[in-house]
Amino acid sequence: MKKSLVVLLALIFILTLSACGSNNTASNNSKNGGSLTVAVPGDPLVLNPNYASDRVTLTIQQALYSPLFYINGRNVTPALADKLTASKDQLKYTLILKKNLKWSDGTPLTADDIVFTLNSILDTKQNSDLRGNFVFNNEPVKVAAINKNTVVFTLPTVAPAFPLSLEQLYPIPQHVFKNEGDLQKSTKNNHPVGSGPFRFVTYKSGQYVETQRNNYYFGGKAHLDKVIFQITKDQNAANLALENGSIQLKAIQPADVKNVTSRGNTEVISYPEYRLNYAVFNENVPAFKNKTFRQALSYALNREDVIKSAYGSSKYGVPASSIFTSDVKFQDTNVQAYPYNLTKARQLLGKSKVDTKQPLSIIYLNNNPAQESIALYFQQQFKKIGLNLQLKPTDPTALNNITLDRNSKAYGILLNGYIMGPEADVYKVLYQSDSPYNYANYHNSKLDKLWNAAAVETNQTKRAAYYDQIQKQIADDAVIYPISYDDAILAINKKFGGIQAAKPQPVTIFRDLSKLYLK
Amino acid sequence: MSKMIARRVLQIVPMLFVISIISFALAKLAPGDPVKMYVTPNMHPEDVERIRRSLGLNLPIYEQYIRWLIQVLHGNLGYSLQNSQPVLGQILQRLPATIGLMGSSLVLTLIFAVPLGLVAAKYADTWLDQVLNLLSYISISIPVFWFGIILIDFFSVQLNWLPSLGMRTIGVNSFPDLVQHAILPIATLTFQGCGAYYRYVRSNTISELKKSYVEFGYAKGLPDWKILWNHVLKNVLLPVITLLGMSLPMLISGAYITESVFSWPGLGLLSVDAIFSLDYPVIMAMTLFSGLMLILGNLFADITYQIVDPRIRK
């Protein structure tokens, strides 16, 4: 039996097994009733999963809609889906939904809804952000309902990334959107009908989104009556509201931990966010085209000190080396990590023959204190090897435009971070030569081919070898300076229980808010 | 006066037209590409271009402006690039919160600043004047976000007397609840606004008190308050009216920092978010509304001048 088939069967086994264990089991101490107020830093954009890409909308979406699967780290747990199986040639995937699923308005959720959702995403007139996930070799995936609970996806080519792409598919109801010409502008998005643990009640622009327990939730009724997402722009004011109890749950920064816990009514938990915090060397700038120079800079930095300067302690960030975060099963941390060595940094700098009198620049977000601290640390360290680093704090809009310009020489170093998820293939958009997100402007045609080969390789051992080679090459070339794999930090009022059952997860805070309860 | 009002009202349309051209050009010439704000690594470059075309952002700037203008003349301010919602609906939803906050604080600012300015001028260089001057300097120079946070910490966290966030308690729709939520943001804006108005009133009153009509009043044996209130105030109010006319656009444009600190759902937050996101349909709508309010504010100031000072009518 081929190894790939073994892996596939293992995936199916995991999905099915997890399904058996995913019944809603209430904690012994849990009570029903009460409400939770969650702080979110802005208004949601479009409350329709086909368009949600920002943190706020995704967080609210998690309460209102359910995905087909949950993926956290390397664990896959079925949600609306019961099972996903692939054909031998891996060109057909059959998805079986759980039985008796219902939308929050009581209408049955069927295979037709899945077909409608995917076809809406693929419809070029609908401008969904997710379309790229379901297009392979410029050909879209085809989808058809076989019966009420079964959907078949036909792929134009073998794509091992497809099952993980399905993770981002949160079905939308066909009976609500069927006759809408433009889903993005549809007024139906103002009163979403979903399949999540809570149903939409009201949204007051600039104020809050109110949700109420969804009695039709597939995972069983939520303990809380309501979850309210309070829009709080000013994070200092939101932290004070956390202290006085008017907000009960909020994602916070490491620097806020001491303040929000000072009154004793709030506890803080941290968990892997699978985010890489890193510095990019822009190879459009002549000095940074020089590999030896980039390596010299990497040796001049002490990763532990960078993390401490950013977060005040080493508690919330694990030193990074690979371009992959730990949720990627191909992650290899045994790559060249450039341990702190000023002597070596000076030697390599001399060898690089780069003009040290020419100032270098580092660009970062002007509203991000952690990045500012990192930039100052870089400046101080580079001074030790005779380099002058100029700080360029920049507003998010300008930074976005500068870094998406593939000819930009406006920065030598960019401080950045990414959460790309568990599928290794997705990361190629950051490192392939012609990618619009190749912030390093790194060109390596051999590596481009490796990325493409790995994307369609069904033999998992060979695929692992490809990704191993990619990680090592990028580390040797010092394309980026990986700083840390960051933790997310969550502050929650001590009145609430069920935190572990609700599964804290990156971006959306919790996987399943139905498990939270008032003690 | 009616001729002057008619003439000024007729000027509004061409002025708004000019404002719209300038602001459209500025919004478009600002560095940055609005489509890039919404790009995610999931999107293929061809998807990004398709979105650009669907929003009409691939067209020449003059064509985009004409399209926008035709749309506005049909009463449609367009859709936000950020959330795809109608711009007019978003503005109307937030307008009451902004007018309530800004209007109340403007009225309170005048109620406090004008009498205090008169009193400080009357008792210039006394301890009372010095205390009021100190407060006015603090009011002008204190960072508004810091003052807001201090108020929240003291009244909401330490004393737990007042709510710190939002405009209403969720599920409660009463006027007292609204007032409770409004106290801290209004107090912040009023304190911030008082300093400037106070200094205008004080310095003008000091100049007026040196004039011969005041001496004449004293010679006639009029009491201090009557001289200040009935005679000096009218002359002092002229520059205050100008300041007030210039402040009227704030009734629409809101106060970003205060709204941000207190999570007050006003138009200030909407405008600044739109600027940072290059959401030009919202930017244009807000600029037009603010421009209209500025024109109306100046008209209001001119009309009030003529009422307060009959000499101008001549």
Side-chain angles (χ1 to χ4, degrees):
Chain A
M1 193 184 283
K2 280 183 180 175
K3 279 183 182 173
S4 57
L5 201 59
V6 174
V7 173
L8 200 67
L9 286 172
L11 176 69
I12 295 161
F13 175 69
I14 291 165
L15 291 177
T16 317
L17 195 71
S18 309
C20 299
S22 68
N23 295 331
N24 193 27
T25 48
S27 156
N28 292 336
N29 302 322
S30 61
K31 283 192 298 188
N32 288 334
S35 73
L36 168 75
T37 305
V38 184
V40 287
D43 282 88
L45 299 183
V46 184
L47 277 174
N48 180 324
N50 288 6
Y51 303 97
S53 57
D54 64 294
R55 273 186 188 246
V56 172
T57 313
L58 288 169
T59 302
I60 298 170
Q61 173 183 295
Q62 196 71 15
L64 299 175
Y65 289 90
S66 293
L68 295 169
F69 313 102
Y70 296 119
I71 297 181
N72 193 12
R74 296 176 189 180
N75 301 319
V76 181
T77 312
L80 295 175
D82 201 25
K83 206 160 72 171
L84 180 72
T85 49
S87 63
K88 275 186 182 172
D89 60 5
Q90 296 202 37
L91 289 171
K92 273 198 168 116
Y93 284 81
T94 305
L95 177 97
I96 297 173
L97 290 173
K98 282 192 169 72
K99 284 180 184 157
N100 302 320
L101 295 172
K102 282 185 177 172
W103 294 104
S104 57
D105 63 358
T107 310
L109 189 165
T110 67
D112 288 337
D113 292 304
I114 313 300
V115 174
F116 175 77
T117 305
L118 187 54
N119 283 333
S120 307
I121 289 170
L122 290 169
D123 182 352
T124 50
K125 287 179 200 149
Q126 298 297 349
N127 292 333
S128 169
D129 303 349
L130 301 175
R131 188 172 182 275
N133 287 359
F134 302 101
V135 176
F136 300 97
N137 284 348
N138 294 322
E139 285 279 322
V141 169
K142 285 181 184 145
V143 57
I146 301 299
N147 58 41
K148 208 176 144 194
N149 290 322
T150 311
V151 184
V152 172
F153 301 95
T154 309
L155 274 58
T157 179
V158 172
F162 176 72
L164 290 173
S165 297
L166 274 184
E167 178 233 353
Q168 289 189 46
L169 193 128
Y170 283 62
I172 58 170
Q174 181 180 225
H175 69 281
V176 173
F177 289 106
K178 194 164 51 183
N179 298 318
E180 291 295 299
D182 187 341
L183 292 189
Q184 194 170 15
K185 288 178 182 165
S186 169
T187 51
K188 305 281 172 65
N189 295 325
N190 301 339
H191 307 279
V193 172
S195 53
F198 291 87
R199 66 181 176 82
F200 178 85
V201 176
T202 187
Y203 163 46
K204 297 277 182 197
S205 174
Q207 297 182 65
Y208 58 86
V209 176
E210 183 182 351
T211 68
Q212 205 166 38
R213 180 191 293 127
N214 172 16
N215 292 330
Y216 301 109
Y217 179 50
F218 77 90
K221 289 182 188 175
H223 295 302
L224 296 167
D225 290 334
K226 283 182 177 182
V227 172
I228 290 148
F229 296 92
Q230 175 85 46
I231 296 153
T232 51
K233 272 274 169 192
D234 187 284
Q235 294 314 294
N236 293 318
N239 288 341
L240 285 172
L242 198 59
E243 286 181 51
N244 77 2
S246 52
I247 280 172
Q248 291 125 6
L249 173 65
K250 184 180 177 288
I252 58 166
Q253 297 299 312
D256 301 327
V257 171
K258 200 176 163 193
N259 282 342
V260 301
T261 51
S262 62
R263 290 169 73 90
N265 60 351
T266 301
E267 67 174 307
V268 165
I269 57 164
S270 62
Y271 52 93
E273 199 176 25
Y274 307 115
R275 177 181 187 274
L276 175 67
N277 176 24
Y278 68 117
V280 186
F281 301 126
N282 178 12
E283 295 182 29
N284 283 346
V285 176
F288 289 95
K289 233 183 177 69
N290 187 320
K291 178 177 159 182
T292 317
F293 178 69
R294 298 195 300 266
Q295 288 175 329
L297 296 186
S298 303
Y299 278 116
L301 300 165
N302 184 340
R303 202 166 264 108
E304 304 281 346
D305 288 347
V306 184
I307 296 169
K308 274 184 200 159
S309 64
Y311 306 131
S313 88
S314 52
K315 208 175 159 187
Y316 303 111
V318 176
S321 51
S322 165
I323 55 164
F324 293 145
T325 47
S326 61
D327 49 340
V328 180
K329 66 178 175 182
F330 303 113
Q331 189 201 36
D332 178 7
T333 49
N334 295 318
V335 294
Q336 173 63 277
Y338 302 96
Y340 181 48
N341 188 334
L342 271 183
T343 317
K344 198 157 187 182
R346 285 192 192 101
Q347 276 171 6
L348 286 171
L349 186 62
K351 207 174 146 191
S352 74
K353 293 183 180 153
V354 165
D355 177 12
T356 54
K357 282 175 192 157
Q358 222 168 21
L360 310 169
S361 66
I362 183 166
I363 191 170
Y364 57 93
L365 288 169
N366 62 358
N367 59 359
N368 188 323
Q371 286 193 349
E372 182 159 44
S373 302
I374 294 173
L376 284 165
Y377 174 81
F378 275 37
Q379 188 182 47
Q380 173 200 313
Q381 287 303 110
F382 292 164
K383 203 175 177 182
K384 289 179 185 169
I385 56 170
L387 293 171
N388 174 17
L389 185 66
Q390 292 178 343
L391 306 189
K392 281 191 179 176
T394 309
D395 79 84
T397 312
L399 189 109
N400 198 38
N401 279 285
I402 290 169
T403 55
L404 284 174
D405 175 5
R406 290 286 54 86
N407 299 312
S408 178
K409 292 180 181 174
Y411 60 98
I413 302 172
L414 159 73
L415 293 181
N416 206 0
Y418 57 66
I419 301 176
M420 297 298 286
E423 173 48 53
D425 183 49
V426 178
Y427 289 67
K428 72 180 177 203
V429 296
L430 296 157
Y431 299 101
Q432 275 195 320
S433 304
D434 59 353
S435 164
Y437 311 100
N438 176 12
Y439 300 117
N441 298 302
Y442 171 63
H443 296 272
N444 186 330
S445 54
K446 196 181 149 200
L447 220 60
D448 293 345
K449 282 177 194 157
L450 272 180
W451 279 111
N452 290 337
V456 293
E457 179 55 65
T458 53
N459 182 313
Q460 296 299 306
T461 315
K462 276 188 187 170
R463 205 172 176 222
Y466 284 144
Y467 285 125
D468 212 37
Q469 214 176 324
I470 288 168
Q471 289 169 85
K472 286 199 164 83
Q473 187 65 57
I474 289 177
D476 286 342
D477 286 347
V479 179
I480 62 167
Y481 180 78
I483 298 170
S484 55
Y485 303 119
D486 294 343
D487 274 2
I489 311 171
L490 197 62
I492 184 162
N493 194 296
K494 286 181 178 171
K495 287 191 295 187
F496 292 89
I499 293 164
Q500 292 312 317
K503 308 264 184 213
Q505 69 174 19
V507 184
T508 65
I509 305 180
F510 282 115
R511 173 199 292 177
D512 186 354
L513 284 166
S514 75
K515 304 293 188 288
L516 289 181
Y517 60 86
L518 265 174
K519 285 176 188 167
Chain B
M1 186 156 71
S2 54
K3 269 187 185 171
M4 183 274 284
I5 294 173
R7 199 176 61 242
R8 295 287 294 274
V9 168
L10 284 174
Q11 284 171 359
I12 290 177
V13 176
M15 284 174 88
L16 281 181
F17 180 64
V18 173
I19 289 172
S20 75
I21 291 177
I22 294 171
S23 24
F24 197 88
L26 286 175
K28 288 288 173 184
L29 293 174
D33 175 0
V35 176
K36 283 186 181 169
M37 299 301 297
Y38 312 108
V39 166
T40 65
N42 289 326
M43 293 163 78
H44 292 179
E46 56 270 29
D47 293 333
V48 176
E49 285 315 304
R50 192 165 29 74
I51 290 171
R52 189 190 306 284
R53 279 197 303 278
S54 73
L55 295 171
L57 296 170
N58 57 323
L59 299 169
I61 185 168
Y62 67 89
E63 210 174 321
Q64 288 185 46
Y65 175 74
I66 292 167
R67 276 185 171 207
W68 174 83
L69 189 65
I70 291 169
Q71 201 176 256
V72 171
L73 291 174
H74 283 86
N76 178 4
L77 290 174
Y79 289 85
S80 158
L81 298 182
Q82 271 199 99
N83 58 24
S84 305
Q85 294 298 304
V87 172
L88 186 62
Q90 290 187 66
I91 290 175
L92 291 178
Q93 203 176 356
R94 291 185 180 224
L95 192 60
T98 300
I99 291 181
L101 177 69
M102 303 308 294
S104 311
S105 58
L106 198 58
V107 169
L108 283 172
T109 299
L110 291 174
I111 288 174
F112 285 111
V114 173
L116 287 175
L118 287 172
V119 169
K122 170 68 189 151
Y123 299 101
D125 300 326
T126 64
W127 67 268
L128 180 65
D129 180 40
Q130 280 164 4
V131 168
L132 289 172
N133 280 344
L134 180 69
L135 283 174
S136 75
Y137 289 131
I138 293 172
S139 148
I140 291 166
S141 52
I142 199 166
V144 69
F145 71 90
W146 185 81
F147 186 62
I149 290 287
I150 294 293
L151 289 185
I152 290 176
D153 191 30
F154 189 66
F155 290 104
S156 301
V157 180
Q158 307 297 337
L159 299 175
N160 207 13
W161 285 356
L162 293 166
S164 63
L165 295 175
M167 198 169 83
R168 289 183 188 281
T169 306
I170 296 160
V172 179
N173 209 10
S174 69
F175 184 69
D177 181 65
L178 176 66
V179 172
Q180 273 196 329
H181 281 81
I183 288 173
L184 293 183
I186 288 177
T188 307
L189 280 171
T190 304
F191 184 68
Q192 187 202 18
C194 271
Y197 278 95
Y198 162 83
R199 297 216 61 79
Y200 266 95
V201 174
R202 182 186 173 275
S203 62
N204 280 299
T205 308
I206 287 173
S207 316
E208 290 297 321
L209 286 174
K210 288 174 186 160
K211 290 190 177 164
S212 50
Y213 74 89
V214 175
E215 278 179 36
F216 181 71
Y218 279 122
K220 270 177 73 181
L222 291 175
D224 284 350
W225 69 267
K226 215 166 189 174
I227 292 171
L228 278 176
W229 201 252
N230 289 358
H231 302 284
V232 173
L233 181 62
K234 278 185 185 172
N235 293 310
V236 164
L237 278 184
L238 288 175
V240 174
I241 288 166
T242 311
L243 202 60
L244 198 61
M246 301 291 279
S247 301
L248 276 191
M250 281 174 61
L251 284 177
I252 296 289
S253 60
Y256 171 72
I257 297 170
T258 310
E259 287 175 11
S260 172
V261 168
F262 294 99
S263 297
W264 191 265
L267 288 168
L269 280 177
L270 187 74
S271 314
V272 177
D273 281 353
I275 291 165
F276 281 127
S277 314
L278 301 176
D279 192 349
Y280 81 92
V282 178
I283 298 172
M284 285 305 298
M286 288 305 300
T287 315
L288 270 192
F289 274 113
S290 298
L292 180 65
M293 288 305 286
L294 189 67
I295 295 167
L296 291 178
N298 278 314
L299 180 61
F300 158 80
D302 289 348
I303 295 168
T304 319
Y305 276 156
Q306 301 202 7
I307 294 167
V308 174
D309 190 347
R311 287 171 299 179
I312 296 171
R313 265 177 263 169
K314 291 169 190 169

